[in-house]
């Protein structure tokens, strides 16, 4: 093992002053020339530094992917985990979606978290219809997949897909925030595969 060379410690005010003086003197000697302004990039050829080749589809999908805003739709116990996902420990903001919208008109993702009763079903559909296209729906929890522990009940919808189309199902009762995050990443993967321009031309 290498032995460190002995270090020189300053033990008095005089030694400290002398050490500080040495540092200042050395700075004074080594900093006599002006440092050039950091503007080299200004003289770089404009084409090389400003042109990025990609497709319109990729740019549109990239912006949708990183700015997905969920509409608030917590119905029961699963909503607690959804709220937890948005809080600091799991930090939904990392994916550009920290803002849960109170208005469906400003949202493109609906996270339906909880037990949907037939009494509530028309309002789920209405809020879905009020969201602008393109929009995605995430069914959170066993209640969303099949009615969960309430399957067969007279009052509970046995799966949200009876009311609206579902893009991703998150199993669990309730699913943990990690599972919801994975589902959101799955939705992002779907968004990346979209072709907005082809749709626009075809439409
Ligand atoms: S899946 Fe479980 S935790 Fe989620 S709403 Fe249904 S009963 Fe509650």
């Amino acid at each position: 093992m290498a032995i460190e060379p002995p270090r020189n410690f300053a033990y008095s005010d005089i030694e400290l002053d002398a050490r500080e003086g040495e540092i200042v003197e050395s700075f004074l000697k080594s900093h006599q020339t002006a440092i050039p302004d950091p503007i080299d990039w200004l003289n770089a050829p404009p084409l090389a530094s400003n042109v990025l080749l990609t497709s319109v589809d990729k740019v549109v999908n990239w912006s949708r992917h990183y700015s997905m805003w969920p509409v608030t739709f917590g119905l029961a116990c699963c909503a607690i985990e959804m709220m937890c996902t948005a809080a600091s420990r799991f930090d939904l903001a990392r994916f550009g979606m920290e803002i849960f919208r109170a208005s469906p008109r400003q949202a493109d993702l609906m996270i339906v978290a909880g037990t949907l009763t037939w009494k509530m079903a028309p309002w789920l559909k209405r809020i879905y219809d009020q969201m602008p296209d393109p929009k995605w729906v995430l069914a959170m929890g066993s209640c969303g997949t099949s009615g969960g522990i309430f399957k067969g009940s007279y009052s509970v919808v046995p799966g949200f897909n009876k009311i609206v189309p579902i893009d991703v199902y998150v199993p669990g009762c309730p699913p943990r925030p990690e599972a919801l995050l994975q589902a959101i990443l799955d939705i992002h993967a779907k968004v990346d595969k979209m072709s907005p321009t082809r749709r626009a031309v075809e439409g």
Side-chain angles (χ1 to χ4, degrees), residues 75-79 81 113-116 140-144 147-150 172-175:
L75 290 168
C77 2
C78 272
E81 297 295 317
T115 316
L116 181 67
M140 185 176 180
S142 329
C143 286
I149 54 172
F150 307 108
C173 180

Side-chain angles (χ1 to χ4, degrees), residues 69-73 99-110 126-128 130-132:
W69 288 1
V71 65
T72 309
F73 212 92
I99 309 175
F100 272 78
R101 309 308 301 182
S103 163
R105 293 175 183 85
Q106 299 166 345
D108 48 7
L109 171 65
M110 181 186 250
R126 178 175 289 189
I127 290 176
Y128 174 80
Q130 286 174 342
M131 288 167 65

